[in-house]
Amino acid sequence: MNQNADQKLRDKLWRIQNLYLIRQKRPTGIGTGGLGKFRFNNVQRQILNAILPDVKAGRPIELYSLKARQQGVSTFWLLWYLDDCIFHAGRISGSLAHERITLGLLWDTVRTAHANMPTSVRPRIREDNASTLAFADNNSKMIVGLKVHGSKLDNLHISEHPLCTEDQIKESLGACHPLTNVTYEGVSAGMNHAHDKYVSMKARGKAIFSPWMVQEEYRLPMPPGLSVNRTPEEARLAAFARSVYYVGIDDEQILWRRKQIEDLGRDFARLYPEDDTSCWTSSGGGLFNHRKLKVLLDEARKFASDSPSINSERDYTMWHVPDKCPKGRPIFVAGADVAEGLDVGNSERDWSELAILCLTCARQAFRYRARVEVGEFARVCNDWGRRYSKALLAVESNSFGRAVVDRLENDLRYPNLYSEKKRASMFNSRERIEYGWKTTTSNRTVVLPALKIAIEGHEMADENDPEKWNNEIDVLDTDFLQECFTFENVNGKVQA
């Protein structure tokens, strides 16, 4: 190897742009099967500029990339970390994704890049399977998974971070050491854990935002001889982009934007964001109005700051004393949502939750949230329901909820269980009492809209004027409000 070639191989940026082939978005004629050398696009240059000071100083990389769709952020990090494993001994790099389909796409990028390297520098493979690519000569490896654990990672990339569960993320971060490079990327998915992470990292100068307009390929061809008559909103956007992001927006980009808004509706602001604020509260398929939820969440957090809870332990929070209310005689109602509670090796299981509301002051009084077995949860519901004036207690009786209802009714003798009268059968007019609330396909269509109105007020109320919302209950549980952002209409069924 001559001196010039050796010098190039010492340059990581040269290696990434010359040794690795990737699948091109459009056929390029370079290589076979639409493969071509990796070239930094505008978003990837933005990432590079953000990390180079730490790279040159020998500090670990930590970066959050909030972005529009299809901007090549995961491709950047996969090649960056693959290169680290190939040219340094003993390195372990992990990539985390929220679903197996995404894992397959990530893995294809890694394998394609390795398989098409020049033979003179391509390392021999020691292990190659659906989750691991290990190199024979330097004891380095790349791994991918829905969780990345077991090995002490030198590099960790979390793809589509907003869609990953907190348990996935925590377990994978547990495989890191203080000098691990940790990178996050994704398109916003509501006011969930990712929003808080992005805001926190942005405050420390460890986050970047890449709006759609910095990616020049987002455009539609203009018919010859025609031009776009821009609306005032489009003119303001172009001026904003020029002053904040230092990019212009031409007519072909405006035409593309109009088509996307027509197709995607409110989801456009989330999938192709133009600022790093509105994207978190924009969703076309959500049950709740995300802009209203953001206001309600901020109000609940402010209430928690200004008026600390009366009593708070690991599993419960009390905002309202059980025996009195400033607006009169307290009337309490309670609802319980039952999870299985037993781990059985699944750290992502649901929570069992008990919420108690004061109807007198229209405010949440109490919240219990824990992962416990059904017997313990029945005891909790019994104890706290009795404390709160023997609150009317409605337990969802689907699945494991039936066992909680039976325990409350027969063993604990709870005095005020919600019940319904039902006919014994089609041929018997006698009525029977059935305790608990059973959620069905038919009553979901009534309950969910009622929940929406109770929390955020009438749909026709101006979302910019909270005083006119007239919501029926003040929810103080920030965890619940954050979960409301995840309610989406999936194939006609609203679910979290």
Side-chain angles (χ1 to χ4, degrees), residues 381-426:
C381 291
N382 179 68
D383 290 350
W384 285 103
R386 290 177 184 273
R387 290 191 200 187
Y388 277 92
S389 304
K390 300 176 183 177
L392 175 63
L393 172 59
V395 180
E396 186 177 36
S397 59
N398 300 61
S399 186
F400 291 92
R402 185 73 259 162
V404 174
V405 171
D406 290 343
R407 183 77 181 272
L408 286 165
E409 177 191 358
N410 300 315
D411 299 339
L412 300 172
R413 303 286 183 181
Y414 187 79
N416 198 11
L417 267 182
Y418 172 85
S419 64
E420 297 179 357
K421 291 182 179 180
K422 296 190 176 182
R423 287 178 56 176
S425 71
M426 290 178 59

Side-chain angles (χ1 to χ4, degrees), residues 191-192 195-196 294 296-306 476 478 482:
M191 295 288 296
N192 60 4
H195 169 266
D196 296 340
K294 176 64 165 62
L296 294 171
L297 181 60
D298 289 343
E299 288 179 350
R301 286 171 170 166
K302 186 176 187 303
F303 182 88
S305 175
D306 296 344
L476 304 178
T478 56
Q482 284 184 312

Side-chain angles (χ1 to χ4, degrees), residues 130-149:
S131 63
T132 303
L133 186 68
F135 304 120
D137 299 321
N138 68 356
N139 202 34
S140 291
K141 64 180 177 180
M142 292 278 292
I143 55 178
V144 297
L146 300 178
K147 294 177 183 176
V148 181
H149 52 79

